[in-house]
Amino acid sequence: MSATDYAPKPDTGGPAQPLLIVKDLQKHFPVRGGLFGRTQAKVQAVDGVSFEVKKGETLGIVGESGCGKSTTAKLLIGLTEKDRGEIIFDGLSLGQRLPLKDLRKGVQMVFQDSYATLNPRLTILDSVAFGTKVQGLKDPNGLARKMMDRVGLNPNRFAHRYPHELSGGQRQRVNIARALAMSPRLVVLDEAVSALDKSVEAQVLNLLNDLRAEFGLTYIFISHDLNVVRYISDRILVMYLGEVVEVAPVDSIWKSQAHPYTRSLFSAMPSMDPDNRTQEPPLAGDPPNPINPPSGCRFHTRCRFASDVCKSDAPRLDGLAQNAAHMVVCHLYDAASGHPRAGQGIPA
Amino acid sequence: MTNLLDIQNLTIRFKGKRTVHAINDVSLSMKQGETLALLGESGSGKSVTLKALLGLLPPKRTDIAGSIHVNGTDVLSLSGKALQRYRGGEVSMVFQEPALALDPVYTVGHQIAETVMRHKGLSKEDALSTALDMLDRVRIPSANRRLNNYPHELSGGMRQRVMIALALACRPKLLLADEPTTALDATVQIQILLLLRELQKEFGMGVIFVTHDIGVAVEISERVAVMYAGQIVEEGTTREIIRDGRHPYTRGLLAANLHDVARGERLNAIAGSPPALEAKPDACSFAPRCPRALSACREALPPMITPSERRRVGCLRADETLAAE
Amino acid sequence: MALSETLPAEPEPIAIPQGYWSGVGARLVRDPLTVICASVILALILGAIFAPWLGLADPYKGSMIARLKPLGTEGHILGTDEQGRDMLARLIYGGRLTLFIGLMPVVLAFFIGSTLGILAGYVGGITNTIIMRTVDVFFAFPSVLLAIAISGALGAGIVNSLVSLTIVFIPPLTRVAEAVTSGVRSLDYIDAARATGASALTVIRVHVIGNVLSPIFVYATSLTSVCMILAAGLSFLGIGVRPPEPEWGLMLNTLRSAIYVNPWLSALPGVMIFVTSLCLNLLSDGLRSAMNVRD
């Protein structure tokens, strides 16, 4: 694979400008019902999410089902239309100076279900070459073959096969090749390794690391597996019921989680130590329904430290006093919040 | 005391357009009240083993050889009424997707009571009070109200609790759990694991817990059997497997868990993918992917080495692995 | 970059580049029942097309003396009808009209229904509501009644039968097309294709049509037998093809009165309808399994 084949759009803003800025992103899905299909309620899938992704970094997004991480991914590449908010890619705002078509040249996505994301009636080669054909690049098949080779699939053996003839790991390589054939600068990996067997997952993670280095890629890595996210990410963003609750560099959050929810999520990881197994579940019950999320801080219904202010006022995202890069959304860290333990944080 | 479970030389072959040698010469035994994790990846035969234990494999398309005894009963010889009494009475199962395993048109109370009435011959009132008691035992808050709920009215974690209540309602001697926490969120998964651990102590039953996740196995089980390509490649206490896994496949799985890998460091991935099982293995099935394979590994089945009581490793070089450290 | 290490030393390519349709063909040929049914249908169609060159008797020329001759009569292998016309010739010539009004409405409805259904399924929203609610109106009537009503309103004749039967078959095909398309629409590979910046038309052309057409096609094949029976029914009732044209339904009607005189003879057109629709049904079953790529 030579450098000329991989031709992403040139950088415009310089290295200091974040590759992606997301401001106050919101998506509510209507729940229709009744005789005339009127909107009965709204699923608040993503509600006021803001974050940045620097050039060349990997941002991990974690959270449980219904927290809005997959919806966020689909909003980022315009598969779902946002209700509100701004997506700024390399300095250009989507819908203003950046048309959707151009965004999709710069941002690609790899989905979780490697089988469902491949058209069962197209050969591997046709699937990989589809995007570049659409964009009108010359020699899309040649490029697709090179990309297949690059992700470890011998094009002579695999080009004319169908998705069902491949193993899960091989199919996920095809999906990666298809995304990279478009020469993106940002790749959104939505649970891209979650469905794979552990031994295959490691192979694909190695591949993703290699590709990132070779093509200077920026990743948004969405997963529920904290170990995998820690391994591949530079920063981690934690979501709960459609909102961001904590964003921090990996090492910082791994050492100490600031938000009570993040703390619980980390404690829920299996211990891997047969002599020191988990004794007490960190949280009781399931996450609440995003149709009618709790008022104030959405986590207050399950939080050990909740007080009256948590039920009424929504906290804001702010850096920790000792480390401004570690940002959290919690009244415990805001000295002026009116929480009985305001400014003290959660006990270690 | 007899073993709760005794599987001797179990071999299962699926016939059809393509023959699949799903289980190859598996022997396994379990004592009363033990919790065993069957650890393996997709296609390793762990779920097929569970199905064989429940007599759920379609007889027309499967060849089964060997024997399975649960509490002295020869499972493979059961049929008709006896098989029905055995299923759900002696042995019951918790599935991965409670949403699919529970009947959507009956209330959860009705489903539990119905099972109890069928197996224990209780009256409807007694069965319903058993159902209520079971929902209490699986720590469902306000169980009385939940009795009249339909499965779709419950959250994923609640449904799995109901599924467990249903499985335990007839006090089985052996509970089979097929990845019951895989579809759940992390914070809910740990609740269910701890619940199962407590219930196991409370009821004193044996549990076979099928999982692909080593971390889950550690949380739930005392013993672990690692399966690969329809064979058990290593068995021992959870501690032995985690601290001193001898089989290269076990070691690969442990490494792939990423628990203590430095960020961004190149992973020691197991190359390749599992075999297709189209022929009966006549050599070590893992040899093609094994970094330590010798030519002897590709020529004959590996010996089963037993370093200690109830500990075994199906690897020619298992002793060396120990010596090397 | 040594990525080859991560791939197994699998047996070398079994993958001979093979198109989808040649795969379907290969699977069809291996299914004897489907092959037999296809041959019967093919024979009927060929017979209908080449009827004038088969050396048959004139299907319109009757004889007052040779009426209702039984099967096996010298010169009339399958006997003669109530006007003394040769049955063999009339059955083979009858295939022309019967197959035409049995197949044509389904073919037309297949194109119209698929287009409407794919549109409704892919675009969704208000477009879907308008198309599908309109279709629902037609569903309120049983198909036989609807065909009779439309034909009755338009009057007897081949073209009118064609129109009425086409209208009858558009709603079920639209509904199937819509259901299959909205299923496919929600799959990830459509999202993946949209994420490349492809236009809706390109996505439909490359990713939707290929995946929805085969279930719609199979369903349409199963409708042909219904259509044949309906067409025969219309002729039977006298609002389809008019005498003296040979058409199986019509023949069944006119021979009805001879049932006590020569029951075998009067059953013949019915047997033709039965065999043809049975073969079409079995053929559609065979197609369904042959079009399944997975096994």
Side-chain angles (χ1 to χ4, degrees):
Chain A
M1 185 93 218
S2 66
T4 49
D5 292 318
Y6 198 83
K9 245 177 104 220
D11 187 67
T12 52
Q17 174 180 283
L19 183 60
L20 182 76
I21 303 173
V22 173
K23 280 186 193 162
D24 197 25
L25 200 59
Q26 178 186 301
K27 179 70 196 178
H28 291 183
F29 292 105
V31 180
R32 292 184 199 280
L35 190 56
F36 300 104
R38 272 175 309 185
T39 302
Q40 308 263 308
K42 280 184 170 171
V43 178
Q44 307 197 1
V46 172
D47 208 16
V49 165
S50 305
F51 60 88
E52 293 178 2
V53 189
K54 295 190 205 65
K55 282 166 186 159
E57 85 164 342
T58 297
L59 176 73
I61 302 185
V62 298
E64 298 179 282
S65 57
C67 76
K69 50 192 198 304
S70 287
T71 308
T72 305
K74 289 196 171 179
L75 290 168
L76 289 184
I77 54 167
L79 283 178
T80 303
E81 217 168 307
K82 60 185 195 290
D83 296 343
R84 199 181 71 201
E86 205 176 358
I87 295 171
I88 304 167
F89 183 73
D90 200 16
L92 301 176
S93 178
L94 173 65
Q96 293 171 25
R97 290 178 55 208
L98 182 71
L100 184 60
K101 200 155 184 253
D102 286 1
L103 175 81
R104 283 171 173 172
K105 278 181 203 155
V107 186
Q108 279 293 302
M109 181 158 168
V110 178
F111 300 78
Q112 170 172 15
D113 185 339
S114 65
Y115 189 73
T117 46
L118 289 172
N119 184 341
R121 302 278 295 272
L122 291 191
T123 61
I124 301 306
L125 185 70
D126 287 340
S127 276
V128 176
F130 175 76
T132 39
K133 269 183 199 150
V134 165
Q135 296 281 356
L137 299 186
K138 56 177 194 293
D139 192 19
N141 284 346
L143 180 64
R145 281 174 166 272
K146 282 181 192 155
M147 216 26 111
M148 283 177 68
D149 195 40
R150 181 59 197 84
V151 300
L153 295 170
N154 180 348
N156 295 328
R157 273 176 55 197
F158 290 99
H160 297 289
R161 292 207 194 172
Y162 287 92
H164 71 272
E165 299 172 306
L166 270 58
S167 70
Q170 290 167 340
R171 279 198 295 265
Q172 205 55 298
R173 287 170 195 268
V174 173
N175 285 320
I176 293 170
R178 170 173 60 185
L180 292 187
M182 303 284 289
S183 303
R185 298 178 64 196
L186 174 68
V187 181
V188 181
L189 299 143
D190 185 6
E191 301 272 10
V193 298
S194 306
L196 303 176
D197 277 330
K198 276 283 166 195
S199 64
V200 178
E201 178 187 273
Q203 297 169 11
V204 174
L205 286 174
N206 276 340
L207 174 67
L208 288 174
N209 267 335
D210 294 341
L211 294 170
R212 176 172 56 185
E214 187 175 339
F215 300 130
L217 294 170
T218 301
Y219 288 153
I220 292 181
F221 192 93
I222 299 173
S223 177
H224 66 278
D225 187 333
L226 291 172
N227 278 319
V228 174
V229 171
R230 181 201 61 132
Y231 168 74
I232 201 151
S233 311
D234 299 303
R235 287 191 306 138
I236 293 184
L237 181 146
V238 185
M239 288 184 74
Y240 183 77
L241 283 183
E243 294 182 338
V244 176
V245 297
E246 190 165 355
V247 198
V250 162
D251 295 326
S252 175
I253 202 171
W254 211 260
K255 217 163 62 225
S256 89
Q257 304 89 39
H259 196 281
Y261 173 67
T262 317
R263 171 77 55 95
S264 309
L265 197 62
F266 276 64
S267 318
M269 277 199 290
S271 70
M272 283 306 283
D273 182 354
D275 296 315
N276 190 15
R277 304 204 287 192
T278 311
Q279 294 307 323
E280 186 82 20
L283 281 181
D286 296 57
N289 197 325
I291 289 183
N292 284 313
S295 61
C297 169
R298 291 188 175 179
F299 187 59
H300 82 252
T301 50
R302 302 170 84 197
C303 183
R304 283 201 292 147
F305 307 100
S307 78
D308 290 339
V309 64
C310 303
K311 289 174 196 160
S312 54
D313 297 354
R316 282 202 322 271
L317 184 70
D318 207 357
L320 294 184
Q322 64 270 34
N323 179 3
H326 194 141
M327 316 245 280
V328 66
V329 183
C330 182
H331 287 310
L332 289 167
Y333 297 89
D334 179 1
S337 68
H339 192 281
R341 292 179 53 88
Q344 296 174 38
I346 52 175
Chain B
M1 191 163 108
T2 57
N3 280 338
L4 171 63
L5 169 72
D6 247 316
I7 299 179
Q8 290 296 330
N9 306 98
L10 184 67
T11 300
I12 298 177
R13 198 161 54 105
F14 293 116
K15 298 172 290 188
K17 272 186 194 155
R18 273 179 23 212
T19 304
V20 177
H21 294 258
I23 302 288
N24 298 299
D25 201 17
V26 161
S27 298
L28 184 68
S29 63
M30 247 177 96
K31 294 201 167 67
Q32 308 276 357
E34 271 183 344
T35 306
L36 171 84
L38 267 189
L39 184 65
E41 299 182 304
S42 49
S44 62
K46 51 195 196 316
S47 295
V48 177
T49 310
L50 281 202
K51 283 190 177 156
L53 269 170
L54 265 183
L56 282 176
L57 295 172
K60 276 189 187 160
R61 294 196 294 112
T62 18
D63 278 341
I64 307 184
S67 70
I68 302 176
H69 285 88
V70 173
N71 222 13
T73 317
D74 181 359
V75 177
L76 295 180
S77 71
L78 292 178
S79 62
K81 279 263 154 58
L83 184 60
Q84 283 176 17
R85 261 199 306 278
Y86 163 80
R87 282 183 198 154
E90 292 270 296
V91 175
S92 59
M93 182 136 159
V94 179
F95 295 88
Q96 179 172 347
E97 282 287 349
L100 303 178
L102 292 170
D103 193 327
V105 301
Y106 293 108
T107 62
V108 299
H110 179 101
Q111 292 186 51
I112 299 175
E114 212 256 356
T115 313
V116 180
M117 278 154 66
R118 187 152 32 88
H119 282 281
K120 303 260 156 151
L122 294 184
S123 70
K124 185 144 195 208
E125 287 74 45
D126 290 347
L128 273 174
S129 73
T130 310
L132 181 62
D133 174 52
M134 286 316 299
L135 290 189
D136 262 333
R137 280 167 184 269
V138 295
R139 324 278 191 272
I140 289 184
S142 46
N144 216 342
R145 204 155 43 86
R146 293 295 181 195
L147 269 185
N148 298 318
N149 277 152
Y150 288 91
H152 73 267
E153 296 171 316
L154 303 173
S155 65
M158 282 299 159
R159 275 200 289 260
Q160 198 53 286
R161 283 170 198 265
V162 168
M163 190 73 229
I164 293 170
L166 183 66
L168 296 183
C170 296
R171 307 293 159 111
K173 303 259 178 2
L174 179 61
L175 178 71
L176 309 177
D178 190 2
E179 307 237 14
T181 61
T182 306
L184 301 175
D185 279 323
T187 56
V188 182
Q189 159 168 297
I190 196 78
Q191 295 171 32
I192 299 289
L193 289 177
L194 296 186
L195 173 73
L196 273 174
R197 228 158 70 188
E198 284 172 37
L199 291 173
Q200 189 273 330
K201 280 202 200 91
E202 213 173 302
F203 289 67
M205 72 223 161
V207 176
I208 300 185
F209 195 102
V210 161
T211 180
H212 67 276
D213 187 336
I214 289 198
V216 167
V218 170
E219 288 290 354
I220 192 82
S221 65
E222 295 147 24
R223 300 183 57 76
V224 174
V226 183
M227 290 196 77
Y228 183 79
Q231 291 156 311
I232 290 179
V233 294
E234 182 160 9
E235 190 199 348
T237 63
T238 308
R239 193 171 290 108
E240 285 165 341
I241 299 290
I242 298 295
R243 301 241 196 280
D244 181 28
R246 302 273 188 91
H247 197 282
Y249 177 66
T250 314
R251 297 182 150 235
L253 277 187
L254 282 165
N257 188 57
L258 304 178
H259 185 66
D260 35 33
V261 184
R263 184 147 58 94
E265 179 183 280
R266 191 157 186 83
L267 297 171
N268 237 332
I270 306 176
S273 41
L277 297 175
E278 278 167 346
K280 194 168 171 59
D282 50 7
C284 176
S285 302
F286 188 64
R289 303 175 74 187
C290 182
R292 300 170 52 82
L294 304 172
S295 59
C297 299
R298 299 192 180 88
E299 280 153 16
L301 287 170
M304 194 55 86
I305 292 167
T306 46
S308 58
E309 172 81 19
R310 302 194 71 201
R311 169 114 172 86
R312 55 177 162 153
V313 191
C315 177
L316 191 61
R317 304 184 67 179
D319 289 329
E320 278 174 59
T321 333
L322 188 65
E325 279 162 14
Chain C
M1 189 48 256
L3 263 163
S4 52
E5 99 211 350
T6 57
L7 280 173
E10 268 176 38
E12 262 314 288
I14 28 152
I16 308 137
Q18 188 194 36
Y20 171 77
W21 287 108
S22 58
V24 171
R27 282 188 290 270
L28 268 182
V29 170
R30 262 178 276 146
D31 179 1
L33 189 62
T34 309
V35 172
I36 292 172
C37 291
S39 320
V40 171
I41 301 289
L42 194 67
L44 284 169
I45 293 175
L46 288 179
I49 293 173
F50 295 108
W53 295 280
L54 292 180
L56 297 164
D58 184 343
Y60 297 100
K61 190 171 157 249
S63 150
M64 289 310 277
I65 29 175
R67 288 194 303 172
L68 293 173
K69 289 279 177 205
L71 274 64
T73 310
E74 178 92 48
H76 303 289
I77 282 270
L78 291 181
T80 56
D81 71 359
E82 77 287 351
Q83 296 191 31
R85 297 173 293 201
D86 183 58
M87 274 303 276
L88 179 66
R90 280 187 72 78
L91 285 175
I92 291 177
Y93 273 94
R96 296 186 136 189
L97 262 181
T98 316
L99 289 174
F100 179 72
I101 47 174
L103 298 180
M104 216 43 211
V106 178
V107 173
L108 291 176
F110 173 74
F111 284 111
I112 300 169
S114 301
T115 312
L116 287 173
I118 292 173
L119 194 71
Y122 190 84
V123 179
I126 187 89
T127 316
N128 182 299
T129 310
I130 291 172
I131 294 179
M132 295 320 289
R133 290 303 84 80
T134 314
V135 161
D136 282 347
V137 172
F138 285 91
F139 261 105
F141 306 98
S143 55
V144 181
L145 268 187
L146 189 62
I148 292 173
I150 300 172
S151 275
L154 295 174
I158 297 172
V159 177
N160 288 348
S161 304
L162 209 67
V163 172
S164 71
L165 289 171
T166 307
I167 293 174
V168 166
F169 287 110
I170 289 174
L173 281 164
T174 308
R175 185 176 271 191
V176 168
E178 192 263 350
V180 183
T181 309
S182 43
V184 167
R185 174 73 173 77
S186 65
L187 289 175
D188 284 350
Y189 63 81
I190 300 295
D191 273 352
R194 289 172 60 215
T196 61
S199 68
L201 262 175
T202 314
V203 175
I204 290 181
R205 185 171 52 82
V206 180
H207 294 284
V208 178
I209 289 188
N211 286 291
V212 300
L213 228 45
S214 61
I216 308 175
F217 180 70
V218 168
Y219 180 65
T221 330
S222 73
L223 286 182
T224 50
S225 58
V226 180
C227 185
M228 267 195 45
I229 293 171
L230 273 184
L234 288 182
S235 309
F236 181 88
L237 291 174
I239 45 178
V241 179
R242 273 174 294 202
E245 294 298 327
E247 199 271 346
W248 297 341
L250 193 62
M251 288 162 71
L252 195 64
N253 187 11
T254 50
L255 280 169
R256 186 168 49 124
S257 49
I259 196 155
Y260 299 109
V261 184
N262 198 337
W264 294 108
L265 188 69
S266 47
L268 274 178
V271 170
M272 293 302 284
I273 296 172
F274 173 73
V275 168
T276 315
S277 68
L278 184 73
C279 284
L280 283 170
N281 261 327
L282 291 173
L283 184 63
S284 85
D285 264 1
L287 269 179
R288 193 203 319 271
S289 48
M291 279 177 162
N292 191 347
V293 207
R294 288 224 213 175
D295 41 42

